[in-house]
């Protein structure tokens, strides 16, 4: 299969991730409840050889209804956050399991980066496939 077409097809992944994170971020910003939480632990998710990967923080916080929630966040990072570190969180009051660190980067900027990368990949892949531009994938 043409590499350009593969790029266009795989552009769907960052687009879907970006749109999902963007919608979640908008919803939390508009309707979310802010809470202070802590990093309870970090779950490492990596490659087969466990040499590369990301740490997904598990946070714990108390809701307005005085319920303790412990939840792994959807966005991983490297390096790991320090266990016991206090964080400002924002959660959906109707579903407190929907929680994220209350930061402009995580809620607004990162989703837009994913969408932009997906759109760029789609455009480049399609332009290459249609032979409007030439993308060179040969090993030198």
């Amino acid at each position: 299969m043409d590499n350009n077409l593969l790029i266009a097809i795989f552009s769907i992944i960052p687009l879907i991730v970006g749109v999902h994170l963007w919608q979640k971020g908008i919803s939390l910003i508009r309707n979310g409840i802010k809470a202070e939480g802590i990093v309870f632990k970090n779950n490492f998710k990596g490659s087969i050889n466990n040499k590369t990967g990301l740490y997904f923080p598990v946070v714990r916080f108390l809701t307005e209804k005085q319920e303790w929630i412990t939840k792994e966040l959807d966005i991983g990072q490297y390096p790991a956050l320090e266990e016991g570190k206090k964080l400002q969180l924002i959660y959906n009051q109707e579903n407190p399991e929907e929680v994220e660190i209350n930061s402009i980067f995580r809620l607004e900027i990162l989703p837009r980066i994913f969408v932009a990368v997906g759109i760029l990949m789609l455009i480049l892949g399609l332009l290459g496939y249609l032979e409007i531009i030439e993308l060179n994938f040969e090993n030198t």
Side-chain angles (χ1 to χ4, degrees), residues 29-90:
I29 289 168
R30 289 184 182 158
N31 307 312
I33 305 292
K34 295 176 183 173
E36 185 174 279
I38 64 159
V39 177
F40 181 67
K41 67 178 183 174
N42 290 283
N43 291 333
F44 181 77
K45 295 182 182 179
S47 64
I48 295 170
N49 62 11
N50 283 332
K51 291 185 179 180
T52 58
L54 296 173
Y55 292 93
F56 288 78
V58 177
V59 297
R60 181 174 280 175
F61 65 99
L62 190 62
T63 68
E64 283 186 333
K65 296 178 182 176
Q66 302 304 305
E67 299 172 301
W68 282 104
I69 303 292
T70 303
K71 174 77 169 121
E72 179 183 280
L73 299 181
D74 293 336
I75 301 174
Q77 59 188 57
Y78 184 87
L81 293 175
E82 181 183 337
E83 291 181 11
K85 178 181 180 174
K86 291 183 180 180
L87 299 171
Q88 290 301 314
L89 303 171
I90 188 166

Side-chain angles (χ1 to χ4, degrees), residues 1-34:
M1 184 178 278
D2 186 317
N3 286 336
N4 295 304
L5 189 56
L6 285 174
I7 289 173
I9 291 168
F10 282 110
S11 70
I12 294 169
I13 295 169
L15 275 171
I16 290 172
V17 169
V19 168
H20 170 74
L21 292 175
W22 200 338
Q23 289 174 333
K24 179 180 175 182
I26 289 170
S27 174
L28 287 173
I29 289 168
R30 289 184 182 158
N31 307 312
I33 305 292
K34 295 176 183 173

